[in-house]
Amino acid sequence: MSTHIADKNERPAPDKELVVLADYAASDFKPSELAMTTARHCFMDTLGCAMLALQYPACTKLLGPIVPGTVVPYGARVPGTHYVLDPILAAFNIGTLVRWLDFNDTWLAAEWGHPSDNLGAILAVGDFLSRNKALAGKKPLTVKDVFHAMIKAHEIQGILALENGFNRLGFDHVLLVKIASTAVATHMLGGTHEQIIDALSQAWLDGAALRTYRHAPNTGSRKSWAAGDATSRAVRLAWMTRQGEMGYPSALTAKKWGFYDSIMQSKALKINRPLGDYVMENVLFKISYPAEFHAQTAVECAVKLHPQIKDKLDQIEKIELFTQESAVRIISKSGPLHNPADRDHCLQYMAAIGLLFGKLTANHYENDIAADARIDKLREKMHVYEDPQYTKDYLDPEKRSIANAMQVFFKDGTSTDKVVIEYPIGHRRRREEGIPHLYKKCEENLSLQFAAEHVRELMDLFDNQAALEKMPVHELMDKFVVHSTSAVEL
């Protein structure tokens, strides 16, 4: 006798995790003074990183309209260029510029990521809304609104990253960029609490991108535009939801077909900390080196050792490098490195550059520098070990250190001292030391695109919290227009 089987087709209430994220995104949360100040520094740094990325043709070839010559009246501007695009494509452009050189801010926990990646969505939507509100005689969005959106996006991405390690399942952290950007962009576009839930459900239904493009033997340039792609998708989903597209209330928990069963091996998301401004207050700035963050202190160690070894390269027997488990798993690699994206995710390559040259810049990943045979010779002499204490302190919420140590041994039996650095200069524990260098980094990056007088104007604005917060977003973006197309020709 056969048994009749049918799915129970009653629409459930929205998953509680969707509600928690929507509650926060739709709230009028008042961030701390520290969070607002840090948001200003993050905004300044992120725009500077975008200007630096414009120097690299591998990046600029991806920018602009899909059909050359297309202009969107009253669309969103792409800073450092002459492009005016729809917000969805503008988010891709801005997000790609921000992330291209692996030099913007960082968050490290069970999952990793770069919360300022969300500025691709926030700035594209913010500029579009501000510009069109002003044209309609309404109050435009201000940079203060952008800061509030940034703090919320940082918090959503960062809190989800604390205890949810998608990387261990083989999935990329840009999933969390898409989630955070979707929530914030929907709210910016005027979405209701219910619509934010609907848009978030769509974002989770997209599943997750594989990390294949970040790891040997496939490391490649997609890792530099993946976040731009995520922010663009987020704006697209937010836009569709505002047009009335439906949501899927059990996108996470649906048996067999939901995100948990399909992607997370039937485990639920952990959100064990209230959403506020913790992430923005504690975010990590990349100040000294355009390098994957787990290697920042390793490069700093190498630079300190440079004077001791620069004239003794042929006498080096071995180099010992002690690091955290995450660095071993993500960026420790041997063998040939095939492109700049491969090199800036190789711990040994970055350390070798620091030892050889006493510095590390984005140009050191290019083919002409990589052809220097001394680099691979040093890589071959490196022995990488996990230090369990470094791993423990990396995961400790009271420390969040990113420690590396390095020691060079010579053929005559002598050695350098073991150099240990626990916290990179961009860490909150070194924030006061780092901020002047952050300003210098931004000024140098802006100088690549703008005349000295204009750079001074922008830097003065970035240094004035009150004036910057009051400025309409579109007026600030107009200050980043470059009418010459030389840097961004296809």
Side-chain angles (χ1 to χ4, degrees):
M1 178 179 178
S2 61
T3 302
H4 177 69
I5 300 174
D7 290 331
K8 189 175 182 179
N9 197 30
E10 294 181 4
R11 209 74 162 175
D15 291 329
K16 66 180 186 300
E17 296 88 346
L18 299 179
V19 176
V20 167
L21 298 178
D23 285 348
Y24 175 68
S27 72
D28 58 355
F29 173 75
K30 299 296 189 296
S32 68
E33 182 179 346
L34 173 60
M36 290 295 286
T37 299
T38 308
R40 171 168 58 88
H41 291 150
C42 179
F43 184 71
M44 171 188 77
D45 178 55
T46 305
L47 284 171
C49 290
M51 297 305 97
L52 179 60
L54 285 166
Q55 309 308 304
Y56 294 86
C59 175
T60 58
K61 72 182 182 183
L62 302 176
L63 304 181
I66 294 174
V67 177
T70 301
V71 176
V72 178
Y74 316 121
R77 293 198 174 277
V78 179
T81 77
H82 64 290
Y83 296 134
V84 182
L85 308 172
D86 71 82
I88 297 168
L89 187 54
F92 175 84
N93 278 242
I94 298 170
T96 296
L97 284 171
V98 165
R99 184 88 278 273
W100 191 261
L101 294 173
D102 206 347
F103 213 178
N104 59 323
D105 71 3
T106 300
W107 185 252
L108 301 176
E111 187 54 73
W112 317 296
H114 310 275
S116 60
D117 290 350
N118 293 289
L119 201 59
I122 293 167
L123 203 49
V125 171
D127 182 29
F128 174 80
L129 291 175
S130 181
R131 197 171 299 277
N132 282 274
K133 285 179 180 291
L135 286 167
K138 299 177 181 179
K139 182 181 178 181
L141 269 70
T142 65
V143 176
K144 183 177 182 178
D145 297 317
V146 168
F147 290 172
H148 283 177
M150 288 173 64
I151 289 167
K152 286 183 176 181
H154 269 61
E155 192 76 357
I156 292 171
Q157 180 177 350
I159 296 302
L160 285 174
L162 285 179
E163 299 185 64
N164 302 290
F166 301 100
N167 58 82
R168 291 189 176 276
L169 300 172
F171 300 118
D172 194 23
H173 54 70
V174 295
L175 164 65
L176 296 183
V177 175
K178 181 169 56 179
I179 298 304
S181 286
T182 297
V184 171
T186 306
H187 179 61
M188 292 177 72
L189 289 167
T192 64
H193 181 267
E194 181 180 354
Q195 286 178 320
I196 296 173
I197 291 174
D198 289 345
L200 280 168
S201 74
Q202 294 277 8
W204 288 109
L205 285 180
D206 275 357
L210 299 177
R211 285 185 63 89
T212 311
Y213 48 80
R214 296 194 190 276
H215 295 276
N218 293 291
T219 312
S221 55
R222 178 167 174 162
K223 76 178 183 61
S224 297
W225 57 259
D229 190 47
T231 62
S232 180
R233 179 64 176 167
V235 177
R236 177 67 171 140
L237 294 175
W239 200 276
M240 291 174 68
T241 302
R242 289 291 289 126
Q243 291 176 314
E245 181 59 21
M246 65 183 288
Y248 299 84
S250 60
L252 295 171
T253 62
K255 296 299 180 184
K256 187 177 180 180
W257 311 114
F259 187 86
Y260 290 167
D261 281 0
S262 297
I263 300 295
M264 295 187 65
Q265 300 177 354
S266 301
K267 297 177 182 177
L269 286 171
K270 297 177 182 178
I271 307 177
N272 294 329
R273 184 187 181 96
L275 297 170
D277 47 21
Y278 172 77
V279 176
M280 183 61 82
E281 287 186 348
N282 290 279
V283 77
L284 303 163
F285 287 115
K286 286 188 181 180
I287 296 176
S288 301
Y289 314 111
E292 207 280 341
F293 212 97
H294 295 90
Q296 290 284 314
T297 53
V299 178
E300 196 169 344
C301 289
V303 170
K304 282 183 176 293
L305 288 170
H306 167 71
Q308 300 179 51
I309 66 93
K310 63 178 181 176
D311 298 322
K312 302 172 65 176
L313 295 177
D314 59 342
Q315 300 173 43
I316 294 175
E317 178 71 29
K318 67 175 180 177
I319 303 163
E320 291 189 343
L321 208 168
F322 299 87
T323 190
Q324 344 85 36
E325 182 273 340
S326 294
V328 173
R329 185 151 47 93
I330 308 168
I331 55 174
S332 178
K333 65 175 78 167
S334 61
L337 301 173
H338 304 286
N339 52 63
D342 213 0
R343 296 169 197 131
D344 77 11
H345 268 51
C346 176
L347 176 63
Q348 293 87 340
Y349 184 91
M350 292 180 277
I353 293 293
L355 288 170
L356 276 175
F357 301 105
K359 60 182 179 179
L360 173 64
T361 70
N363 286 333
H364 284 116
Y365 300 120
E366 297 300 308
N367 292 341
D368 56 340
I369 299 294
D372 188 331
R374 296 176 300 168
I375 299 173
D376 284 342
K377 286 181 179 178
L378 285 179
R379 287 176 60 212
E380 291 168 1
K381 294 177 180 180
M382 288 186 189
H383 301 263
V384 176
Y385 307 96
E386 179 199 352
D387 185 312
Q389 187 63 47
Y390 293 174
T391 299
K392 181 180 178 181
D393 292 346
Y394 171 88
L395 296 172
D396 185 340
E398 299 303 317
K399 292 185 176 180
R400 296 288 182 202
S401 69
I402 312 100
N404 277 280
M406 187 181 297
Q407 188 170 14
V408 179
F409 297 84
F410 300 103
K411 294 176 182 178
D412 63 3
T414 62
S415 67
T416 66
D417 291 336
K418 184 177 181 180
V419 178
V420 180
I421 299 176
E422 294 185 76
Y423 299 95
I425 196 171
H427 195 280
R428 185 175 176 179
R429 292 199 180 195
R430 296 177 67 184
R431 186 68 55 84
E432 186 175 348
E433 174 190 357
I435 291 304
H437 297 283
L438 194 71
Y439 275 88
K440 181 181 179 182
K441 171 190 170 185
C442 182
E443 185 171 4
E444 290 175 350
N445 289 339
L446 293 178
S447 297
L448 297 170
Q449 285 294 107
F450 304 111
E453 183 179 350
H454 191 52
V455 171
R456 188 69 265 150
E457 177 190 354
L458 290 172
M459 293 305 300
D460 288 345
L461 186 58
F462 286 142
D463 198 33
N464 189 326
Q465 185 92 26
L468 187 58
E469 286 185 6
K470 291 178 183 177
M471 177 169 283
V473 179
H474 69 282
E475 290 185 11
L476 178 66
M477 292 297 284
D478 285 344
K479 292 181 180 297
F480 278 83
V481 173
V482 171
H483 295 290
S484 170
T485 62
S486 60
V488 290
E489 288 289 357
L490 296 179

